[in-house]
Amino acid sequence: MNVALLSQLRDDLARAQYSLNGLAALWGATAEGARRRGVFAPARRVLAGRDQSPLVTLGRLFLLGEAVSTEALDAALPALGSAGASELGLVASDGDARLRAALSLNPVALVGEAAERAAERAAERGGSAEWWILSDLDDELRGGPARPDHVMGVGGATRTLIAQLPSVAGGSALDLGTGCGIVAMHLAELGAERVVATDISERALTLAAANAELNGFAGSIEFRQGNLFEPVAGEAFSLVVSNPPFVITPRSEDEGARYDYRDGGMTGDELAATVVRTAPSHLAPAGALVCLANWETEWGGRGLERVRGWILDAADRSGYALDAWVIERDRVDTVQYAETWARDGGARPGQSEFDGMLAAWLDDFGSRHVVSVGLGAIHVRRATFAAGPHAQLASVIHVDQATGALAAQGL
C-alpha cells in the first residue's frame, strides 16, 4: 500500500479522534457494547440526532456499515480525501454516488505489558495508546460469503494469544501466520529487537505491512511470504508465536469454500501437529513457543495425550529437552464443531449448503473415529543443553484441562 497515503490516513484518524474512547463518548457505552456484538441499531439511532462531524462519518462508514457521500468523506479525511481512500482500497462506490467501506478499519485497545509500553510512548508524543487495524469486513458488514483469502481482524482467539505472550525484550521473535499483523506489532511493542512475520497469503502480508506502517512500526517488522517455517529455514528465535489456520476441515471436494485464515490444507489436526513438531528446531536456547491449536480425540483416546506425543516427537527432532504446558480450555463434540465452522463460512441451518457442509465434516470425523475436538494453547520451552537421544526422557510435559477464558486465569 502507498506509504504516503497511509501517513495521511493516520493524521486524519488522529485528528478525528477515531478511537474506542471517542466512539464510546459519541454514542454511549450501551450502543458501543451492542456494536461489538454486531447489533448496529442503537448506535445508528443515536447518530440520527447528531450533527455531521468527522467522527460521525467515520463511525457510520467503517463501524456501522452505512454509505456516506463523497463530500462527507472528504470532510472527514481532509488530508487523504475520498480519492486517496479509494486508492488504498478502504472504500468503494455503492453504485448510487455514495461510498461504502471495502475494508474494516477498527480502533483496537492493546492488552498486557504492550498496553503499558504503548501508553508510555503515547504520553511522550501525544495521541492514543490504541492502534488502528485494517482487515477484511466481518460477517455483519460484509453481507455475503468471505473471499478465500479473507484476512481476519482482531478476534477472540487473537486476543487470547496476545494475553499469553511472555517477555521478549532484547530477543528475536517470529509471528508464524501473521494475518493482519497485530501479534507481530505486539512483539515489537514488547521490545523484541528483531521481529519476523510470515504468512502464506500475499493479501494478509499486504494488510499486515499496511497496519505496521499505519501504527508506527515501519522498519520494525520483517514480512516474508511462505508456508509454515519455509521462510525462516535455518533461523532460530527467542520466541515463536502462532495462531495458525488450525481448523479441522474435510479434505473432500464438496466441503465448500476453503479459507486461508482457518484452513491449513492438511488432514485432521496435522497442521497443528506440524507446527508443534517443527517449532522447537527454530528455538534459540531457552527459547519458547506459544501457539493456539485444535486437536482431535479419537474414540477411546485422549486428545491431550495426542498433543503430548507431538511434543515428544519435537524433542526427538530437535535433540533438546522440552518443557511444555498444554491447556485445553474447551472440548466440543464433532457436531458442535462442524456447526460452528459451517456458520463461519456464511451458511445457516435449513440451507442445503449448510447441510452439505455438516455432512462432509461428520463424514471426515467418522473416517478417523473422532468423537470430540479440544481447543486450547500449547506452551513449549527449549532447554539450554542438548539431550540427544535422551531428549524425550529429559522433557517435562504437563497437560491440563482448564475451561474458561485463558486470560481470566492469568495464563
Side-chain angles (χ1 to χ4, degrees):
M1 287 188 173
N2 187 301
V3 172
L5 294 180
L6 287 169
S7 176
Q8 293 171 346
L9 174 61
R10 179 172 58 246
D11 293 343
D12 285 338
L13 295 176
R15 188 180 300 109
Q17 297 184 327
Y18 185 66
S19 65
L20 291 175
N21 288 337
L23 293 164
L26 176 66
W27 48 51
T30 299
E32 173 62 7
R35 181 193 72 81
R36 295 192 192 191
R37 298 190 299 273
V39 179
F40 304 141
R44 288 173 176 169
R45 182 181 179 86
V46 172
L47 294 191
R50 294 292 177 90
D51 293 334
Q52 190 74 281
S53 73
L55 186 58
V56 167
T57 297
L58 296 175
R60 281 178 167 152
L61 176 65
F62 290 112
L63 301 179
L64 303 181
E66 296 184 3
V68 302
S69 68
T70 299
E71 294 75 17
L73 189 56
D74 284 336
L77 301 174
L80 180 65
S82 58
S86 296
E87 185 175 339
L88 284 176
L90 298 179
V91 297
S93 173
D94 68 353
D96 194 26
R98 294 172 71 80
L99 299 171
R100 287 192 179 275
L103 289 174
S104 285
L105 176 55
N106 281 291
V108 174
L110 283 69
V111 298
E113 183 183 346
E116 298 173 5
R117 288 175 175 264
E120 292 173 0
R121 287 204 304 140
E124 293 174 358
R125 68 179 190 275
S128 171
E130 298 174 5
W131 290 339
W132 298 295
I133 299 298
L134 292 164
S135 64
D136 280 318
L137 298 173
D138 58 23
D139 289 348
E140 291 82 7
L141 296 175
R142 190 173 57 244
R147 52 190 293 164
D149 59 354
H150 177 86
V151 178
M152 286 282 290
V154 184
T158 301
R159 294 181 187 279
T160 296
L161 179 64
I162 290 171
Q164 299 177 66
L165 295 180
S167 175
V168 70
S172 58
L174 169 64
D175 177 16
L176 186 76
T178 191
C180 70
I182 191 168
V183 173
M185 291 194 298
H186 267 83
L187 294 170
E189 190 69 75
L190 287 171
E193 289 186 353
R194 174 173 172 254
V195 179
V196 177
T198 68
D199 208 292
I200 197 171
S201 167
E202 181 178 0
R203 180 173 177 79
L205 291 172
T206 297
L207 288 174
N211 285 324
E213 182 70 38
L214 185 60
N215 292 286
F217 291 97
S220 299
I221 303 169
E222 182 181 349
F223 295 98
R224 302 183 192 175
Q225 186 176 8
N227 187 39
L228 294 177
F229 292 93
E230 290 176 359
V232 293
E235 297 181 52
F237 299 86
S238 308
L239 177 63
V240 174
V241 182
S242 185
N243 179 16
F246 51 66
V247 176
I248 298 167
T249 307
R251 299 264 64 86
S252 62
E253 294 298 323
D254 58 353
E255 79 271 18
R258 298 194 181 111
Y259 300 109
D260 289 345
Y261 72 90
R262 74 181 199 190
D263 177 15
M266 298 184 185
T267 298
D269 54 17
E270 187 57 29
L271 187 283
T274 299
V275 171
V276 173
R277 288 172 178 148
T278 309
S281 297
H282 292 272
L283 294 178
L289 162 71
V290 179
C291 74
L292 303 184
N294 287 180
W295 46 80
E296 297 181 334
T297 293
E298 299 174 354
W299 186 87
R302 188 173 179 230
L304 283 169
E305 292 304 317
R306 181 179 179 84
V307 180
R308 186 195 298 272
W310 299 347
I311 298 167
L312 291 174
D313 288 346
D316 267 348
R317 290 188 181 192
S318 67
Y320 288 91
L322 302 174
D323 295 331
W325 188 18
V326 184
I327 312 106
E328 185 176 75
R329 67 173 177 82
D330 201 1
R331 185 183 302 161
V332 299
D333 61 61
T334 54
V335 174
Q336 184 181 352
Y337 190 87
E339 286 180 12
T340 297
W341 294 110
R343 289 176 183 272
D344 181 74
R348 294 294 179 265
Q351 299 174 345
S352 59
E353 180 186 9
F354 181 90
D355 292 341
M357 294 174 72
L358 197 67
W361 250 289
L362 296 181
D363 288 345
D364 182 63
F365 283 131
S367 69
R368 293 188 301 281
H369 309 290
V370 175
V371 295
S372 66
V373 177
L375 300 80
I378 301 169
H379 292 235
V380 179
R381 186 173 297 278
R382 202 203 91 172
T384 57
F385 60 90
H390 306 293
Q392 284 198 3
L393 292 175
S395 297
V396 178
I397 304 170
H398 291 285
V399 295
D400 295 300
Q401 186 177 40
T403 57
L406 291 175
Q409 298 179 38
L411 301 177

